[in-house]
Amino acid sequence: MPRVSKNRVSSAGSEQGTSDGQTLAGPRHVAIIMDGNGRWAQARGRPRLFGHHAGARRVGEVVECCPDLGIKYLTIFAFSTENWKRTQVEISGLMSLFRRYISKEMKALAARNVRVRFIGDRVRLDAKLVQLMDDLEHETAQNEGTHLTIALNYGGRDEVARATKRLAADVASGRLLPKDVDEETLPRYLDTHVLPDPDLVIRTSGEARISNFLLWQSAYSEYEFIDTLWPDFTSEELARLCQRFGNRDRRFGAVKT
Ligand code: FPP
């Protein structure tokens, strides 16, 4: 399990103590774009799905180290609204991987006090998968450890569009007045309405773009774009990124006095 020696990440929360006695806050909410599975597999002469299976195994390790790093919320991008453009073989392989992962991991996650939620549009997903997602959310609803959110058929623009539709319906029915709509209102309609905004967004595989992930929520997030391909990502690397986060100066648009 990762331990960072100088700016040590405490297991009690996201506070990091430095050698000069200062306290640095680690990220409470980490969001990850798990990229590079395909290239990882191709580099080994294997089909892309081989990389997705290796990537799925990484998810468990990362979830497990969260309490030690003071990460209370972990949000991972598993399938985007744009991923339907991939080949049918890859799409069905991924869907079957999600079904298997949820059935297999359900009891283990529940036992480890992990609370699982899904964000994204469920309409296009098959009924069996949606049932498993509902069951896993239900099964872990009382857990108070790490909050794991899995983005599945998720797109930031799609989420804002769906939220706006619901908000417009409330305005049309008179439940909400246009004059009361401000930037506190829309987030209440987003899939993530019960989650805090991410403090740190990580993208693996050397690509420096956000690909429609948590567009509204990441307005003030710190970003880390790292070269590691997702199946090679380790809890040690996550610990290093958490430590680096603690050294950042987050001003949220204000000027330091
Ligand atoms: C991006 O890599 C990855 C995906 C589209 C799928 C992410 C899925 C997993 C990590 C597996 C399982 C997750 C769960 C929750 C069980 P890519 O295929 O775009 O890689 P490339 O850029 O190298 O082609």
Side-chain angles (χ1 to χ4, degrees), residues 29 73 75 117 119 147 149 191-197 217:
H29 183 176
Y73 297 88
T75 301
R117 294 185 181 88
I119 55 171
H147 291 247
T149 303
D191 297 350
T192 52
H193 61 100
V194 292
L195 305 174
D197 287 344
Q217 300 86 340

Side-chain angles (χ1 to χ4, degrees), residues 7-8 14-18 22-26 243 246-248:
N7 293 348
R8 196 168 54 78
S14 50
E15 298 281 290
Q16 301 177 35
T18 64
Q22 279 189 317
T23 301
L24 297 174
Q243 178 173 319
N247 290 320
R248 288 187 179 194

Side-chain angles (χ1 to χ4, degrees), residues 36-48 50-51 229 232:
N37 295 346
R39 277 165 282 168
W40 186 90
Q42 277 158 358
R44 288 159 180 76
R46 305 297 297 267
R48 297 175 56 79
F50 181 73
L229 302 175
D232 291 328

